[in-house]
Amino acid sequence: MPSGTPHAAPGLRLRGRESEQRMLTDALDGARAGQGAALLLCGGPGIGKTALLDHACEAARTPQVHRSRPPQEAMVLKGAMVLSSAGTEPESAMPFAGLQRLLRPVLDRIAELPAPQKAALEQALEAGHIAESDRFPLSIGVLRLLCLLGHSAPLLVCVDDAHLLDSASLDALAFAARRLGTDPVAMVFAARDDSPKPAVPGIPAVSLGPLPDAALSEVLGDAAPGGIAAGVRAELVRASHGNPLAARGFVAALSPDQLSGTRPLPRTLPLPQELRRAYAPRLEALPEPSRHLLLLAAADPDCGADQLVRAGGRPETTVGDLEPAENAGLVRIDGAQVVFTDPLLRTAVYQAAPVVRRRAAHARLARVVDPQREPSRYAGHRAAAAEGPDSDLAAELAAAADTAKELNGHAVASAALEQAAELTPIPRLRACRLSTAAQDAWLSGMPDRASELLERAEPDAVTPRQVGVLELIRGQIGLREGNAIDTADELLATAERLLPHDRELAVRSLMRAADAASFAGDPVRHAAAARRLAPLARDNDPPGMRLAFAYMEGCALSFAGDYAAAVGPLRRAADLAEEIDTPAELIWASIAGLRLGDAPLVHALSTRAVSVARRRGALAVVPQALEFLVYSEFWSGRFPSGIGNCMTGLRLARETSQPNCATHHLAALSLLAAIQGDAETCHERARAVAERSCENSLGLPIALSSWALALLELAQGDARGAFSRLRVLNHAGPGYGHPTMRLLTAPVFVEACVRTGEQGRAEVALGPYEAWAEATGSLSSLAVAERCRGLLAGSEEAADHFEEALRLHRACGDDDVERARTALLYGTTLRRNRFPGRAREHLREALETFEWIGARLWVEQARGELRAIGDPEPAAEEPGADDHGLTAQQHQIALLVAEGATNREVAAHMFISPRTVEHHLRGIFRKLNIRSRVDLARMFR
């Protein structure tokens, strides 16, 4: 493009504009084939118009391969000729300036035009004016010149910022664009969409909307090759509102530490100067009363039009003062609300105002907000208007934060408390408010902000209790992102520091220390926390604390193997959950349900925990609750819901910077892949879990992924591999295994032992599992124990055990996976004992369930057993059935891509490499006989 035209960054990849790129390609292909085309790209500042024009120019210049011949005779055709220009503000009132810039490289070809057109065009380009009677010859001359050039070589004409082009040039070019017929010419214009009339009327127009989040996430990745933390990426996507220029500008303004999440983001991201300059002329063109109201609207997007007028503080101010902004397309009145047509315009209005005007705007808004009905809004405006420390205002803000927590959630409460702390002159009180703001920030899913607030509070934390509070919050953050064993030790020490000053906080610290020990699979540290906690219980404790004490007592007994004694406290903890409505306690009650083997109870309690966390804005707690919800869903066969919740938990854990939580979800997904027989995905996920678990001593996720791999090996017929893997797990120490997982994997270990002739080891492993099943009375667990007894029994006694197992499964009614596995093993046993008629019934039942849940390897096992007794092979599925002949992993990738996910987004969701996604996509396209993502979206719609 000519000098002065803005360029996209060199090598910049276009993201999320596939349909627009295809339109441009079609226009270029039409020009090469002798069919003229014109197109107008419309959109706001920074939305990607110039990048698309640059793409079109590059594509036009690239030589094309003529594919109508056989490959050995293919011809390479030279690229098209490109003429490009752009409107500029200084030349917008200078007639024919834009046309002169565009045609400057081909001025020598004007001589080939007929005399009247040649004369008119030369007059316009040299003198800058023509007679009114010469306008038509001039326009015809421009058209003929472009067609003349096109017949020498296909021609692309690109005009950027057409809204700034002088009207004389634009009229002549628009005249030509509307008359391209069988001429090898393509014309593409780009213009802002802030005018009610199109910049180039009479040609097809394409409006560029905001980029989808997935595409914007890729733009951020391109702008930061060193990587961006998931939580930071999510915040930048939210702040960019689909604008790629804003996204790249935000990245450029941040330090590497901020991008990696080790340092917090600024409270307000500064809008890039290019965007502020682009918005400025439209704002400056407004009368002062309109700009005044727009600043008020930018300072409070929840303020209605009438409220803005009252806040204006001038007798002559009316709603009519917004009319110029409406006519200019800057805002619209939606009911009573004033809505900026471009969310970034609101940011530009606010950031462009001097600080004195911003403070004055907040002061005016505070006067029209009801502090009783909207305490957080009122307090926020008062704080933004304040000029220095103010004890009374700080106290008012702190009180408003408590109300805001109930009404608006933890994020709003944290912001209000941070503002209160900034206005607090007393250091001790400031530290208290900052630490509470940090706790709310952490719960709302902003651990980086929480860490920054803790750092700011530290110099003012002078009492042992205040120091202990800061350490407790750091420990809670460390539990989800640090080394679990180290965190357990730190929280145990914190509890000792807090105990003389605050029993309730000491209890909380011990509970979190136990959580960390459990995450690590460390029964010794867990027992230490339980011993220290037990004497702190009081008869008059509130329900939440009574639940915590009962839960800890039951878990400690369960860890020690005293399952009968553990049942009572665990039941009390689950029962107390009916009296409370706090997410952390509901999660503990869910874990109590798991230890009781009660999947429906786990599902009910963890669902409540998720709901309460969402309602309270405790975003960080949602993925923690989902960790345990998915257990109940997987083993009851609710796979669509389980996959969705696990993917949601994984995404939220990454966005809220909780890598340990994300690793747990990834381990659960590896178990899902094992159940579905997707060996490749299971191994990929298990490898990622092992890598991350070893770094942070996460015994629970690594044990869960080992369970998944053993289950997969057993389904593949590798009983020796499953036996070896679980034997290693049974002897793994803290950070590499988990006592509870050793218990829960016992049925898989027993099956592997039986297949490898290790009956003695099977008996030893089954003993604790039977004791646990009998103590809890869990019908599903009792059924699995009977199944294991059936595997160990002789041919005559086995049937009784299997029949009892199936009876218990039917009575349970919520363990489809285990019921089907029992039916498969029973059918296999009957077939080997030469009872084919009875075996057929159970094998068909198992096959039906495995097909329903998509357990491919178990389906193959069941079909193999049926073939062995002469049962006919089920009819092959017709082409076009729901799975389309894809593997489980390919089907999942296809669904994600059909929903609009990019390769990088799919890779992030499934924890595989983008190259692996690309490899699978090629296979998917080949199997489905399609060529593009659009075809895939149509097929899966």
Side-chain angles (χ1 to χ4, degrees):
M1 284 189 174
S3 175
T5 301
H7 281 263
L12 186 68
R13 291 189 63 182
L14 283 172
R15 302 289 189 178
R17 298 296 184 199
E18 289 81 6
S19 61
E20 291 85 356
Q21 288 176 267
R22 282 194 296 272
M23 290 180 185
L24 293 172
T25 300
D26 290 345
L28 288 171
D29 289 345
R32 291 189 177 101
Q35 182 62 48
L39 190 65
L40 171 62
L41 303 175
C42 305
I47 206 66
K49 302 182 298 296
T50 299
L52 279 167
L53 289 186
D54 285 348
H55 164 79
C57 292
E58 185 63 29
R61 294 188 181 101
T62 302
Q64 300 293 304
V65 178
H66 194 288
R67 301 186 183 277
S68 61
R69 299 165 174 252
Q72 65 272 18
E73 299 179 22
M75 294 177 60
V76 178
L77 305 180
K78 66 178 182 179
M81 179 181 185
V82 176
L83 293 178
S84 57
S85 184
T88 59
E89 185 73 33
E91 297 182 1
S92 59
M94 193 179 298
F96 300 112
L99 190 61
Q100 192 273 340
R101 292 181 69 197
L102 180 74
L103 299 180
R104 189 175 177 185
V106 293
L107 291 177
D108 59 316
R109 303 293 298 274
I110 296 177
E112 301 175 36
L113 296 175
Q117 297 155 21
K118 171 178 175 294
L121 190 52
E122 288 179 341
Q123 170 74 11
L125 298 181
E126 293 174 8
H129 64 83
I130 58 171
E132 184 66 23
S133 59
D134 288 335
R135 286 186 60 194
F136 187 76
L138 168 72
S139 300
I140 289 292
V142 171
L143 174 61
R144 285 196 172 178
L145 177 60
L146 297 181
C147 294
L148 182 69
L149 295 169
H151 284 287
S152 300
L155 174 66
L156 171 66
V157 178
C158 284
V159 181
D160 200 2
D161 289 332
H163 57 287
L164 295 178
L165 206 67
D166 63 276
S167 60
S169 297
L170 188 57
D171 287 345
L173 291 170
F175 179 95
R178 290 189 290 268
R179 287 162 175 80
L180 296 175
T182 56
D183 301 298
V185 179
M187 299 183 71
V188 184
F189 300 82
R192 298 271 176 83
D193 58 359
D194 49 21
S195 173
K197 295 182 180 180
V200 187
I203 67 172
V206 177
S207 180
L208 302 183
L211 289 178
D213 287 353
L216 200 64
S217 180
E218 291 190 327
V219 170
L220 291 168
D222 295 337
I228 305 178
V232 175
R233 186 186 295 262
E235 177 59 24
L236 294 182
V237 167
R238 186 199 63 77
S240 300
H241 294 286
N243 189 298
L245 179 59
R248 290 192 293 270
F250 290 151
V251 169
L254 298 176
S255 68
D257 286 344
Q258 287 173 317
L259 290 171
S260 66
T262 56
R263 297 296 304 168
L265 297 177
R267 187 183 300 175
T268 301
L269 289 165
L271 200 64
Q273 283 292 335
E274 300 97 312
L275 280 174
R276 291 175 64 176
R277 284 196 299 267
Y279 290 125
R282 300 174 66 192
L283 295 172
E284 292 167 358
L286 296 174
E288 196 280 331
S290 298
R291 295 200 304 272
H292 179 60
L293 288 182
L294 284 188
L295 176 57
L296 292 170
D300 188 347
D302 295 324
C303 207
D306 294 333
Q307 211 172 18
L308 287 176
V309 171
R310 292 200 305 275
R314 302 172 183 175
E316 68 276 11
T317 300
T318 68
V319 174
D321 289 327
L322 289 169
E323 186 175 353
E326 283 188 274
N327 293 338
L330 300 176
V331 297
R332 68 176 188 275
I333 307 299
D334 187 358
Q337 297 300 117
V338 177
V339 180
F340 284 88
T341 54
D342 181 346
L344 292 177
L345 178 61
R346 171 181 167 258
T347 307
V349 169
Y350 188 79
Q351 292 186 5
V355 65
V356 174
R357 290 196 63 206
R358 292 204 297 263
R359 284 180 177 173
H362 285 292
R364 291 178 183 277
L365 288 163
R367 288 196 286 270
V368 301
V369 174
D370 186 344
Q372 301 301 319
R373 295 179 60 186
E374 299 177 286
S376 59
R377 273 184 69 205
Y378 173 76
H381 287 308
R382 289 284 309 278
E387 297 182 2
D390 184 328
S391 295
D392 293 338
L393 180 55
E396 193 176 332
L397 274 169
D402 290 336
T403 306
K405 188 179 300 185
E406 295 299 321
L407 298 177
N408 309 110
H410 292 281
V412 176
S414 176
L417 280 166
E418 183 181 0
Q419 291 174 321
E422 291 171 351
L423 298 172
T424 302
I426 303 171
R428 178 180 56 80
L429 187 54
R430 183 166 59 246
C432 178
R433 286 169 177 164
L434 283 171
S435 63
T436 308
Q439 172 72 4
D440 282 322
W442 153 242
L443 288 172
S444 68
M446 299 184 289
D448 298 333
R449 174 66 65 190
S451 297
E452 184 211 12
L453 291 168
L454 291 173
E455 286 184 17
R456 288 165 55 187
E458 197 163 15
D460 295 329
V462 293
T463 68
R465 181 187 181 281
Q466 286 182 322
V467 173
V469 168
L470 300 186
E471 291 177 353
L472 172 56
I473 298 171
R474 285 196 179 99
Q476 291 179 138
I477 297 173
L479 172 59
R480 302 299 168 180
E481 65 178 36
N483 184 282
I485 292 177
D486 293 345
T487 299
D489 289 339
E490 291 162 3
L491 284 166
L492 285 168
T494 298
E496 294 299 326
R497 184 174 290 108
L498 283 169
L499 191 55
H501 310 286
D502 193 315
R503 181 181 72 96
E504 187 172 339
L505 287 178
V507 167
R508 178 66 59 169
S509 187
L510 288 168
M511 292 297 297
R512 290 307 185 193
D515 285 344
S518 181
F519 219 155
D522 189 336
V524 174
R525 286 177 172 82
H526 190 278
R531 284 195 304 271
R532 194 68 185 92
L533 182 71
L536 302 181
R538 303 287 184 270
D539 292 337
N540 61 346
D541 279 332
M545 288 190 70
R546 296 206 308 276
L547 185 152
F549 283 113
Y551 164 76
M552 182 68 95
E553 180 185 355
C555 286
L557 289 167
S558 183
F559 264 125
D562 193 349
Y563 304 116
V567 168
L570 292 173
R571 287 284 180 206
R572 286 202 306 276
D575 292 341
L576 283 165
E578 298 297 323
E579 303 178 36
I580 62 172
D581 201 29
T582 49
E585 282 72 14
L586 287 172
I587 291 173
W588 288 330
S590 301
I591 300 172
L594 279 174
R595 290 189 173 278
L596 291 169
D598 192 338
L601 177 64
V602 175
H603 190 273
L605 291 174
S606 52
T607 299
R608 273 184 62 203
V610 171
S611 176
V612 171
R614 289 190 186 279
R615 188 175 71 245
R616 296 189 173 189
L619 191 62
V621 184
V622 174
Q624 299 168 25
L626 288 172
E627 290 177 48
F628 302 99
L629 177 59
V630 297
Y631 281 107
S632 64
E633 292 180 322
F634 283 175
W635 289 102
S636 60
R638 299 169 180 162
F639 285 106
S641 177
I643 294 171
N645 283 323
C646 216
M647 286 294 192
T648 298
L650 180 60
R651 175 178 58 80
L652 289 176
R654 295 172 65 208
E655 289 179 357
T656 55
S657 299
Q658 300 184 79
N660 293 351
C661 183
T663 301
H664 194 183
H665 278 291
L666 192 58
L669 284 169
S670 71
L671 182 60
L672 169 68
I675 293 171
Q676 294 187 318
D678 188 346
E680 182 181 358
T681 300
C682 180
H683 280 286
E684 285 180 354
R685 290 170 175 168
R687 280 194 295 271
V689 169
E691 179 182 337
R692 297 166 197 193
S693 295
C694 291
E695 181 180 347
N696 281 349
S697 300
L698 306 179
L700 179 58
I702 204 169
L704 185 57
S705 64
S706 295
W707 183 3
L709 291 171
L711 197 64
L712 177 68
E713 287 163 341
L714 208 55
Q716 291 174 321
D718 183 9
R720 177 57 61 182
F723 168 78
S724 300
R725 186 179 301 280
L726 291 180
R727 187 175 61 177
V728 170
L729 180 63
N730 287 340
H731 295 91
Y736 299 95
H738 198 282
T740 302
M741 284 298 156
R742 286 198 289 273
L743 177 74
L744 295 179
T745 57
V748 180
F749 187 61
V750 167
E751 187 177 343
C753 287
V754 169
R755 293 191 188 183
T756 54
E758 298 280 355
Q759 270 79 1
R761 293 182 185 274
E763 288 282 358
V764 172
L766 183 56
Y769 187 88
E770 285 182 318
W772 172 69
E774 290 169 5
T776 61
S778 164
L779 294 176
S780 178
S781 303
L782 288 168
V784 172
E786 285 291 341
R787 180 180 80 203
C788 292
R789 279 293 161 202
L791 290 172
L792 289 167
S795 58
E796 295 181 1
E797 297 85 8
D800 292 337
H801 289 294
F802 277 114
E803 289 290 350
E804 177 62 12
L806 289 174
R807 185 191 69 79
L808 290 167
H809 281 309
R810 286 191 290 269
C812 174
D814 198 44
D815 62 344
D816 291 339
V817 175
E818 291 293 3
R819 178 180 56 77
R821 282 182 40 74
T822 298
L824 173 62
L825 291 170
Y826 187 21
T828 301
T829 301
L830 289 170
R831 196 268 303 167
R832 290 174 181 171
N833 291 335
R834 300 188 179 182
F835 294 104
R838 293 171 60 193
R840 183 177 291 109
E841 172 192 350
H842 299 296
L843 291 172
R844 284 179 174 173
E845 177 188 356
L847 176 61
E848 181 180 345
T849 300
F850 292 146
E851 286 180 332
W852 172 60
I853 64 177
R856 183 176 59 83
L857 294 178
W858 289 338
V859 165
E860 292 174 3
Q861 280 188 18
R863 286 178 175 169
E865 291 294 331
L866 284 168
R867 283 194 299 272
I869 59 175
D871 214 42
E873 186 75 15
E877 214 169 273
E878 295 181 5
D882 286 346
D883 65 1
H884 301 284
L886 305 178
T887 67
Q889 187 177 38
Q890 286 177 330
H891 194 266
Q892 190 172 353
I893 290 172
L895 285 173
L896 290 169
V897 171
E899 291 171 359
T902 62
N903 288 4
R904 187 175 296 183
E905 188 80 1
V906 173
H909 271 300
M910 299 184 66
F911 274 82
I912 56 180
S913 70
R915 183 175 296 177
T916 300
V917 175
E918 181 63 32
H919 168 74
H920 281 303
L921 268 180
R922 286 196 295 269
I924 291 166
F925 288 174
R926 185 177 63 255
K927 286 183 178 182
L928 301 182
N929 194 26
I930 59 176
R931 300 180 61 185
S932 70
R933 292 169 178 260
V934 175
D935 295 336
L936 189 64
R938 288 173 182 154
M939 180 169 286
F940 281 82
R941 188 168 296 163

